[in-house]
Amino acid sequence: KSSILSRISAARPKIADYHFTTLSPNLGVVRTGGERGFVAADIPGLIEGAAQGAGLGHDFLRHIERTRMLCHVVDISGCEGRDPIEDFKKINEELKEFSEELSKLPQIIVCNKCDVYGAEDNLKAFKKKYGRKYKIFPITAISGEGTRELIEGIFAVLDTLPPVEPLPIEEEFEYKANDDLSFEILDIS
């Protein structure tokens, strides 16, 4: 996930070849020119039981509650004996168990590591299982292959969603101009 974030934005998260490298969310601004852009968040990987608080599950899941859509990254290579279809299913079960609203967010699937031996067969099986319900983007983060299509796919989904609602402000401030054009903030709560 961190490799993808570094490819599509100017963010430079820690990238390493071991599980759970990402220990806290990383944000990156994705721009395609002009004023068009979005903020992508790379959250730490979820484990089975995250909805019940396993690992840092609740802390991680809380970070995505205000998102407008999800890009679910799947290691399609199946290396380390993992089943991409089963991994995807388990994480979606965790999302639903944590929050019904979260599980209903628009979601696209990013199938990473398409350059690894065995990925092609796994990708075919994955598309057969989920291709009618979800948009699937095969990519290779290390080379950047497929990332342009991924960004375009994210924008296509974002364009269909309602505008972002501003978050409520918990404190009110009054700005008072001074004669020297400086200002001071008065806490009126």
Side-chain angles (χ1 to χ4, degrees), residues 150-172:
L150 171 60
I151 291 170
E152 290 169 5
I154 293 170
F155 274 118
V157 174
L158 290 174
D159 288 344
T160 68
L161 301 177
V164 176
E165 292 291 324
L167 295 174
I169 298 174
E170 295 177 16
E171 298 179 15
E172 293 184 30

Side-chain angles (χ1 to χ4, degrees), residues 19-52:
H19 297 292
F20 305 108
T21 304
T22 304
L23 299 176
S24 60
N26 295 301
L27 302 177
V29 177
V30 180
R31 295 226 182 267
T32 61
E35 296 296 316
R36 198 159 188 220
F38 61 88
V39 175
D42 165 23
I43 68 157
L46 298 176
I47 61 171
E48 195 170 358
Q52 290 84 33

Side-chain angles (χ1 to χ4, degrees), residues 3-124:
S3 296
I4 296 169
L5 183 66
S6 72
R7 278 285 177 187
I8 66 173
S9 74
R12 295 295 164 247
K14 179 181 178 183
I15 299 172
D17 190 21
Y18 57 88
H19 297 292
F20 305 108
T21 304
T22 304
L23 299 176
S24 60
N26 295 301
L27 302 177
V29 177
V30 180
R31 295 226 182 267
T32 61
E35 296 296 316
R36 198 159 188 220
F38 61 88
V39 175
D42 165 23
I43 68 157
L46 298 176
I47 61 171
E48 195 170 358
Q52 290 84 33
L56 296 174
H58 284 166
D59 293 336
F60 295 167
L61 287 164
R62 268 195 293 271
H63 285 288
I64 58 176
E65 284 186 300
R66 291 189 303 219
T67 61
R68 299 173 66 206
M69 67 174 287
L70 300 174
C71 296
H72 190 125
V73 179
V74 176
D75 179 347
I76 202 66
S77 71
C79 64
E80 301 177 14
R82 302 204 56 98
D83 178 355
I85 291 173
E86 192 60 29
D87 287 348
F88 180 75
K89 180 181 166 192
K90 284 180 184 176
I91 295 303
N92 274 309
E93 287 170 359
E94 292 297 327
L95 292 174
K96 188 173 185 177
E97 194 170 326
F98 180 75
S99 165
E100 191 72 34
E101 285 182 34
L102 192 58
S103 72
K104 292 178 183 175
L105 286 176
Q107 187 174 158
I108 63 173
I109 304 170
V110 182
C111 293
N112 191 24
K113 300 185 182 179
C114 288
D115 60 328
V116 176
Y117 178 79
E120 189 174 330
D121 291 339
N122 287 339
L123 183 60
K124 284 179 189 174

